[in-house]
Amino acid sequence: MKAVINRGYQPYQGKKYPRILRFWPIFRNEIATLWKLKRVKFFVYSFLGTALFYGAISIIFEFFLKSSNIQTPPFLQNLNSKMVYKHFQDTMLPWLFIFCAIVGGGAISNDLKSKAMPLYFSKPLGWSIYLFGKVTIIAIAVFLVIFIPGVFIFLIKILVSNTPKAIFQEEYPYLFGMFFNALFILIVLTPIILVISSLTESYNIAMISFIVLMLFLGGVARFFAVHDPEGMGKNSLAIDIAFGLKHSGEKFFPETKNDLKFQWPSGHNNHRHQGPPPPDKVEDEFWVQLNLVLWILGSLVILFRRLNKIEVSE
């Protein structure tokens, strides 16, 4: 790197990838580096194991208990596939933030630390292709948590069913819902994690900062929702990105008649809450969507300005 800086930029003499594929070296190197981390492997295997668990639960309740003479609890009699897929995504969402922080925290900060920007921002690459390569890394993380395990659940149910065609026709809309939900989450989270990563040369600081930001927004939102429910608390949950993603994600799943019938038995979890139940909604959904849009646009503006500044300075 020192020789490159001292001699200046020279005309590139090597083989060039087509412009559409020039992000590939970045993607390949990042994946190889991340896969060496034990915590990344732990999360990946845990996500796949969780998918297998949900698939097994779905098979037991939908195929065996309902088709047999075994008396099932009333609150499980209307269990359907949408509930399995939706509950799986809701369960994985908090872990997604941690996994994205691990994967995306060093996306730009590691390059700043290693002084690699002069190479990345020189021709024939450019910062736009560089940025696209980083986005693909976070995309892999999001889809690995939200969508790919859903495909595992789907395939497991088809393989053990006596009517795979009927299962496919009934449940493929839920796969589309999980796909578009994952895409929506990617659009929201990617600019935020990349901005944080571009502001520091420390991978650990970027990773922790992203997690702390998510926790802080959630804590502030629930504080006002609990202590001032008739004032600021009416829409305070809108500032919580996690709540916004979960709330918006429900719109990607088609409605079924059984959704309204499914209820937990009376007294379920009552021992955990003394007093009013925890807040789980806002008065005006407009503020939820506005908050997410502002985070996306604001992060993109800061990110582009930051990359342009780095490109000029390098």
Side-chain angles (χ1 to χ4, degrees), residues 19 40 47 49 62 85 92 149 163-164 166 170 174 184 195 250 313:
R19 178 168 292 275
V40 172
F47 297 148
E62 293 190 55
Y85 289 113
M92 301 305 292
T163 56
E170 177 186 355
Y174 303 138
F184 178 73
V195 163
E250 296 176 354
S313 63

Side-chain angles (χ1 to χ4, degrees), residues 125-145:
L125 193 60
W127 67 264
S128 59
I129 301 177
Y130 166 82
L131 187 60
F132 182 73
K134 300 298 182 179
V135 170
T136 56
I137 302 299
I138 303 177
I140 291 295
V142 172
F143 278 85
L144 188 61
V145 178

Side-chain angles (χ1 to χ4, degrees), residues 217-240 243 276-283:
L217 293 175
V220 171
R222 280 158 179 74
F223 174 82
F224 285 107
V226 171
H227 292 87
D228 190 17
E230 300 301 324
M232 296 180 62
K234 290 182 178 180
N235 294 297
S236 65
L237 288 178
I239 68 174
D240 183 9
F243 173 83
D280 60 352
K281 62 181 180 179
V282 294
E283 187 176 88

Side-chain angles (χ1 to χ4, degrees), residues 10-154:
Q10 303 296 320
Y12 183 74
Q13 303 296 332
K15 180 181 178 181
K16 296 181 181 180
Y17 281 91
R19 178 168 292 275
I20 194 174
L21 296 177
R22 290 179 188 174
F23 76 94
W24 175 250
I26 299 176
F27 175 81
R28 180 187 58 201
N29 293 334
E30 291 279 352
I31 290 294
T33 302
L34 288 169
W35 191 245
K36 295 177 182 179
L37 301 177
K38 292 183 179 179
R39 55 179 175 269
V40 172
K41 293 181 180 180
F42 170 79
F43 272 95
V44 171
Y45 294 143
S46 298
F47 297 148
L48 297 180
T50 305
L52 293 175
F53 171 78
Y54 271 84
I57 292 296
S58 180
I59 292 168
I60 291 172
F61 284 124
E62 293 190 55
F63 296 154
F64 296 120
L65 294 184
K66 288 186 178 182
S67 61
S68 65
N69 295 324
I70 300 176
Q71 184 66 31
T72 58
F75 75 99
L76 289 177
Q77 292 177 358
N78 293 312
L79 181 71
N80 60 25
S81 299
K82 176 187 173 181
M83 297 172 189
V84 174
Y85 289 113
K86 189 67 183 70
H87 190 272
F88 171 79
Q89 287 203 333
D90 292 344
T91 302
M92 301 305 292
L93 189 59
W95 299 105
L96 173 64
F97 293 139
I98 299 176
F99 192 58
C100 282
I102 295 173
V103 172
I108 299 178
S109 60
N110 286 339
D111 295 333
L112 292 174
K113 184 177 181 179
S114 62
K115 310 298 181 184
M117 290 304 186
L119 289 179
Y120 282 128
F121 287 166
S122 63
K123 294 182 179 180
L125 193 60
W127 67 264
S128 59
I129 301 177
Y130 166 82
L131 187 60
F132 182 73
K134 300 298 182 179
V135 170
T136 56
I137 302 299
I138 303 177
I140 291 295
V142 172
F143 278 85
L144 188 61
V145 178
I146 297 297
F147 179 66
I148 301 300
V151 176
F152 270 44
I153 298 175
F154 179 73

Side-chain angles (χ1 to χ4, degrees), residues 145-258:
V145 178
I146 297 297
F147 179 66
I148 301 300
V151 176
F152 270 44
I153 298 175
F154 179 73
L155 293 178
I156 291 172
K157 297 179 69 174
I158 288 181
L159 290 175
V160 302
S161 174
N162 295 326
T163 56
K165 184 177 180 180
I167 294 295
F168 178 84
Q169 293 176 344
E170 177 186 355
E171 299 193 8
Y172 82 87
Y174 303 138
L175 279 186
F176 279 101
M178 298 184 77
F179 175 83
F180 287 111
N181 189 28
L183 185 62
F184 178 73
I185 293 173
L186 175 68
I187 293 173
V188 175
L189 293 186
T190 300
I192 300 175
I193 187 65
L194 289 181
V195 163
I196 295 175
S197 182
S198 69
L199 295 176
T200 177
E201 294 183 358
S202 173
Y203 164 60
N204 290 329
I205 291 178
M207 177 178 62
I208 295 173
S209 297
F210 178 77
I211 297 175
V212 169
L213 175 63
M214 297 297 108
L215 293 175
F216 174 77
L217 293 175
V220 171
R222 280 158 179 74
F223 174 82
F224 285 107
V226 171
H227 292 87
D228 190 17
E230 300 301 324
M232 296 180 62
K234 290 182 178 180
N235 294 297
S236 65
L237 288 178
I239 68 174
D240 183 9
I241 295 178
F243 173 83
L245 293 176
K246 180 179 178 180
H247 182 76
S248 301
E250 296 176 354
K251 303 181 186 302
F252 294 104
F253 289 85
E255 295 292 335
T256 64
K257 294 181 180 180
N258 287 338

